[in-house]
Amino acid sequence: MNTAGHPEPPAGPGLELTPFRGLRYDPDRVGGLAAVTSPPYDVVVRPDGLHHLQDADPYNIVRLILPQAASPAARNEQAAKTLRHWLSEGILRADPEPALYVYEQRSDDGMLQRGVIGALRLSDPSEGVVLPHEDVMPHVVADRAALMRATSANLEPLLLTYRGDGTETDTSAVIDRTAALPPLFATTTEDGYRHRLWSLTDPADVAHVRSDLAPRQALIADGHHRWATYLRLRDEHPSPSPWDHGLVLLVDTARYPLRVRAIHRLLHGLAPADALAALDGHFRVRRLEVPLAEALDHLADAADMGNAYLLAGDGGFHLVDRPDPALLDRTIPADRPAAWRTLDATVLHATLLAHIWRIPEDDPARIAYIHDTAATVRKAERDGGTAVLMHPVREDVVRDLARQGVTMPRKSTSFGPKPASGLVLRVLDV
């Protein structure tokens, strides 16, 4: 920590990425690699998306990351049993030797993302090696920890970013050279993204990557709850152990900038009319008689001027902006930087949820966090709840706050593209 209490780039060991024996689907035993992949567990829209993925292939990874049973204990035991069965039947096979994995995602609109997957040494935030930027919900960490204990596996890689110097480093040189070779596989998922994976086993290449990453600092772009789970499970097992490392994808955003999207809120049991009535005198509210895409454009324009949200659920869209400054003074904690106090997520959680609507932010019976904009609106209209649509935060704001040691409200950002789940797994006893 520096004198202001902010994490600095590590003076000692930084990112320590270790090869591992990746666990991958045998393409001859499944209906296609695209059919067995899934978005990360917290992006799957439930129950619609969950059922769709389960029906796509009997071996879809969603049966491991989101097992379905009558109780949490039964769900976790089912996932462990399923994993053991798939291993015994050869559905999943461990690669013959430890490797790092070069991973590429590409879309038709020009997005290209490349990074390296490996087992990263876990570190506490005080070490300044891996920086979180969001708070976590304890019940989600407990849920993920129980699943990882039962399966003894890292089922999905976290997405971490670091900033290179914008030139060809050892890591980027190895990645680019590897990407010119035939991949282990190539597949296109339902969202249109094309995925390719290469195994990196050459000792010189692995050494170049490890040396280049060693002094660097990473930001958690996606996977705060899983990182917190990794740390909890590490602390439960005497070191040294396989639990000292966790499965991650590291991306240099100086070469491959990520897209930052918002995570929306679905308020259960709060009708749009009641939500809007409670805002009277506190925010400006305007009804927009336009389609969703155009409503989001209005939201973007309003967000450039200050805090703004779109409320939906009654068949229309309502632009909510211009909060009463006196209300913000009463409800926003004053002991944080101005960049934190003015975040849309901060105002939403401290002012709207806690003060006006009286909705606990960590009660899954009252609030859901959904990445897909249209799905959030559809579920609100179907269930009689209120959708709160957010505008994304810029990556530089996120990184600056993280370096100051300031965490943002939970589910403030959605970095992407996220790594597909099911392309490579890490089992801790292999």
Side-chain angles (χ1 to χ4, degrees):
M1 293 280 184
N2 60 26
T3 55
H6 303 158
E8 296 175 329
L15 300 172
E16 295 183 13
L17 198 66
T18 301
F20 69 103
R21 290 182 65 195
L23 196 66
R24 298 187 294 111
Y25 281 99
D26 182 342
D28 295 330
R29 300 295 306 275
V30 298
L33 290 175
V36 295
T37 63
S38 164
Y41 79 97
D42 59 334
V43 180
V44 176
V45 177
R46 287 165 268 190
D48 305 14
L50 178 63
H51 293 158
H52 174 74
L53 290 164
Q54 287 178 329
D55 293 341
D57 190 283
Y59 302 116
N60 190 283
I61 191 67
V62 78
R63 297 179 185 274
L64 298 182
I65 63 174
L66 289 172
Q68 299 300 293
S71 69
R75 289 196 294 269
N76 296 328
E77 176 54 35
Q78 178 175 298
K81 182 178 179 181
T82 299
L83 178 58
R84 291 194 298 268
H85 175 68
W86 290 358
L87 286 168
S88 67
E89 293 296 314
I91 306 301
L92 290 169
R93 296 181 182 273
D95 283 336
E97 57 183 318
L100 300 177
Y101 296 86
V102 171
Y103 177 45
E104 176 189 277
Q105 293 163 279
R106 189 187 294 267
S107 66
D108 290 335
D109 62 0
M111 164 62 76
L112 173 64
Q113 179 171 291
R114 287 176 179 158
V116 180
I117 296 175
L120 185 70
R121 180 186 70 86
L122 304 180
S123 59
D124 296 313
S126 60
E127 297 180 51
V129 177
V130 176
L131 303 179
H133 70 267
E134 288 185 358
D135 292 330
V136 297
M137 292 176 273
H139 74 277
V140 177
V141 176
D143 174 75
R144 291 294 101 184
L147 177 63
M148 286 190 203
R149 284 192 206 97
T151 58
S152 190
N154 300 154
L155 301 172
E156 310 174 85
L158 283 66
L159 175 59
L160 305 185
T161 70
Y162 67 96
R163 296 288 293 180
D165 56 12
T167 63
E168 187 175 86
T169 64
D170 283 341
T171 298
S172 61
V174 171
I175 287 175
D176 292 345
R177 184 170 66 251
T178 303
L181 301 173
L184 293 173
F185 65 77
T187 190
T188 301
T189 47
E190 194 174 61
D191 57 8
Y193 275 93
R194 299 187 294 279
H195 306 260
R196 296 198 295 171
L197 191 79
W198 296 262
S199 176
L200 199 64
T201 57
D202 180 83
D205 285 340
V206 171
H208 281 312
V209 171
R210 286 171 53 85
S211 175
D212 182 51
L213 293 176
R216 301 190 185 277
Q217 180 184 60
L219 174 75
I220 301 176
D222 185 69
H224 283 82
H225 289 91
R226 282 168 285 165
W227 182 260
T229 299
Y230 286 171
L231 295 178
R232 174 182 291 192
L233 295 174
R234 176 202 63 180
D235 294 343
E236 292 177 1
H237 294 81
S239 185
S241 83
W243 298 95
D244 293 338
H245 294 75
L247 185 63
V248 305
L249 165 65
L250 279 162
V251 174
D252 177 1
T253 53
R255 286 180 63 87
Y256 301 107
L258 271 65
R259 292 174 175 172
V260 187
R261 293 188 169 92
I263 302 177
H264 310 295
R265 277 65 170 162
L266 175 61
L267 309 181
H268 302 299
L270 179 64
D274 295 331
L276 292 165
L279 301 180
D280 187 39
H282 300 303
F283 286 77
R284 183 176 69 168
V285 179
R286 290 173 288 163
R287 185 179 177 92
L288 305 177
E289 299 293 347
V290 297
L292 174 58
E294 192 173 338
L296 292 173
D297 289 339
H298 284 284
L299 174 61
D301 291 340
D304 287 339
M305 306 300 294
N307 301 117
Y309 315 88
L310 273 181
L311 267 59
D314 60 356
F317 299 101
H318 306 268
L319 183 62
V320 175
D321 63 359
R322 297 189 184 181
D324 175 16
L327 174 66
L328 299 186
D329 288 342
R330 294 196 308 272
T331 56
I332 303 297
D335 60 346
R336 305 288 182 90
W340 182 89
R341 296 197 306 271
T342 56
L343 288 170
D344 286 339
T346 297
V347 173
L348 172 65
H349 284 249
T351 304
L352 287 166
L353 292 178
H355 181 76
I356 293 179
W357 292 327
R358 307 286 182 177
I359 294 177
E361 62 182 10
D362 57 357
D363 183 355
R366 300 291 304 281
I367 185 170
Y369 298 84
I370 304 178
H371 294 70
D372 187 282
T373 308
T376 309
V377 175
R378 287 195 302 269
K379 287 180 69 64
E381 292 178 345
R382 184 180 64 195
D383 301 343
T386 296
V388 182
L389 307 183
M390 310 282 287
H391 188 68
V393 184
R394 299 192 318 273
E395 181 185 358
D396 61 318
V397 173
V398 176
R399 191 175 295 274
D400 182 61
L401 286 172
R403 283 178 172 158
Q404 295 180 56
V406 178
T407 54
M408 299 167 65
R410 59 198 60 174
K411 299 294 184 181
S412 294
T413 58
S414 176
F415 285 90
K418 304 177 191 303
S421 298
L423 298 182
V424 61
L425 292 68
R426 174 177 177 252
V427 175
L428 277 69
D429 56 4
V430 170

